[in-house]
């Protein structure tokens, strides 16, 4: 579902990604951990071309992301073409990014009606189903400021699912939440994994990575340092840098 080859990304003189090679199979849940500044979130944003890569190749579902290849040269796609690619990729951010002037239901149906041209009635029915699925069936008419952080993040997940994506990206979805609200969001993500959704999750929640992840990737300084079965990486890390990081967070 995702294939990265030698992906590089710099901001000015700072090289944030220094040659990422990764593959995510369909239905796989890949959890990505690592210290702040290691390039985790940047890599996630490159997958749906929110950040343009400087070198290498990225494919989602067999299609090159953000570019068209002719011979051995890459030509950047037009904004409209990139937007069409993003329809298949759902993303949930640290901050919920909900429209404050819209109800939970209106937030969820905005993209399907505007981007996909779905009829209002169908979108409303589908939106209500999704909000029920994330445990918010009784909150569909509430505005974001009437919801807790955990509830807002669950609305954000329902909004991403409304576009029926093939792939879901989560960028530290619980890091902005109070500790007691983390579980309700992780429960929704756990349920998504059980349905077979392909997911790449940047997270600090090691318990979630151990229980739900199929693969655990440790990144540091713009590189993949170690990757493997989550239980094995967490209990018996092979790389010294992984050992040092886990000794501080477990």
């Amino acid at each position: 579902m995702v294939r990265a080859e030698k992906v590089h990304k710099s901001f000015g003189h700072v090289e944030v990604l220094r040659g990422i090679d990764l593959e995510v199979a369909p239905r796989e849940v890949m959890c990505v951990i690592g210290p702040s500044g290691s390039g985790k979130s940047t890599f996630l944003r490159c997958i749906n071309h929110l950040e343009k890569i400087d070198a290498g190749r990225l494919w989602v579902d067999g299609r090159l992301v953000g570019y068209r290849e002719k011979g051995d040269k890459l030509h950047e796609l037009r904004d409209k073409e990139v937007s069409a690619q993003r329809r298949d990729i759902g993303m949930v951010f640290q901050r919920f990014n909900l429209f404050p002037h819209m109800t939970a239901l209106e937030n969820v149906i905005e993209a399907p009606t505007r981007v996909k041209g779905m009829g209002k009635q169908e979108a409303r029915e589908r939106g209500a189903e999704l909000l029920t699925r994330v445990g918010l069936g009784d909150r569909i008419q509430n505005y974001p400021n009437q919801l807790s952080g955990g509830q807002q993040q669950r609305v954000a997940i329902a909004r991403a699912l409304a576009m029926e994506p093939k792939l879901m990206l989560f960028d530290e979805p619980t890091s902005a939440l109070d500790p007691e609200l983390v579980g309700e969001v992780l429960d929704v993500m756990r349920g998504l994994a059980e349905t077979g959704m392909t997911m790449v999750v940047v997270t600090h929640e090691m318990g979630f990575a151990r229980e739900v992840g199929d693969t655990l990737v440790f990144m540091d300084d713009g590189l993949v340092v170690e990757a493997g079965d989550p239980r094995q990486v967490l209990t018996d890390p092979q790389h010294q840098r992984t050992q040092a990081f886990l000794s501080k967070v477990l």
Side-chain angles (χ1 to χ4, degrees):
M1 185 61 78
V2 180
R3 183 155 64 99
E5 283 186 3
K6 305 284 185 289
V7 171
H8 288 256
K9 174 65 184 176
S10 296
F11 294 104
H13 298 298
V14 180
E15 197 175 12
V16 180
L17 301 177
R18 302 194 295 130
I20 301 291
D21 291 299
L22 274 180
E23 287 191 1
V24 184
R27 303 175 69 88
E28 181 178 353
V29 178
M30 176 179 283
C31 294
V32 185
I33 63 171
S36 181
S38 59
K40 309 181 301 294
S41 295
T42 298
F43 176 64
L44 211 63
R45 292 170 67 85
C46 288
I47 293 175
N48 65 0
H49 207 60
L50 286 175
E51 299 290 353
K52 300 174 185 178
I53 64 176
D54 298 323
R57 303 282 192 278
L58 257 173
W59 292 265
V60 171
D61 200 23
R63 294 176 63 197
L64 203 58
V65 174
Y67 299 91
R68 183 182 293 105
E69 196 164 18
K70 284 189 179 178
D72 58 353
K73 288 193 173 181
L74 291 181
H75 302 270
E76 191 166 359
L77 298 179
R78 293 174 304 197
D79 288 346
K80 191 174 182 180
E81 294 171 300
V82 172
S83 295
Q85 285 188 333
R86 284 200 192 112
R87 294 179 195 178
D88 292 332
I89 307 171
M91 186 154 184
V92 178
F93 300 87
Q94 294 179 40
R95 297 287 171 183
F96 327 119
N97 293 347
L98 298 178
F99 295 115
H101 63 289
M102 293 183 178
T103 64
L105 182 61
E106 287 167 343
N107 265 283
V108 171
I109 70 173
E110 177 73 3
T113 53
R114 230 175 242 275
V115 179
K116 280 192 165 182
M118 187 182 286
K120 273 283 176 71
Q121 186 57 36
E122 182 186 355
R124 284 180 175 278
E125 289 172 7
R126 171 86 176 131
E129 283 174 19
L130 286 169
L131 286 166
T132 299
R133 181 175 167 186
V134 300
L136 294 172
D138 59 341
R139 296 273 196 245
I140 63 173
Q141 297 305 329
N142 286 55
Y143 289 90
N145 65 2
Q146 298 171 318
L147 301 171
S148 70
Q151 290 170 335
Q152 289 184 62
Q153 193 62 295
R154 285 187 279 155
V155 173
I157 293 172
R159 179 178 61 181
L161 292 174
M163 290 296 284
E164 300 182 317
K166 298 174 183 175
L167 168 69
M168 284 285 285
L169 308 176
F170 293 87
D171 186 10
E172 299 187 23
T174 60
S175 65
L177 301 178
D178 292 333
E180 67 268 23
L181 302 177
V182 168
E184 63 191 52
V185 174
L186 294 181
D187 284 344
V188 170
M189 293 169 63
R190 197 174 281 112
L192 263 185
E194 288 169 0
T195 68
M197 175 64 74
T198 309
M199 297 160 61
V200 182
V201 185
V202 171
T203 185
H204 294 297
E205 300 295 334
M206 301 302 165
F208 176 85
R210 183 187 289 109
E211 292 168 37
V212 182
D214 298 301
T215 308
L216 182 64
V217 172
F218 173 67
M219 284 181 64
D220 187 38
D221 197 24
L223 292 168
V224 172
V225 175
E226 189 165 344
D229 178 271
R231 287 152 289 280
Q232 184 178 340
V233 174
L234 290 171
T235 57
D236 187 25
Q238 300 302 300
H239 197 283
Q240 190 174 356
R241 183 66 188 91
T242 317
Q243 294 168 6
F245 174 77
L246 291 175
S247 71
K248 292 173 182 172
V249 299
L250 290 178

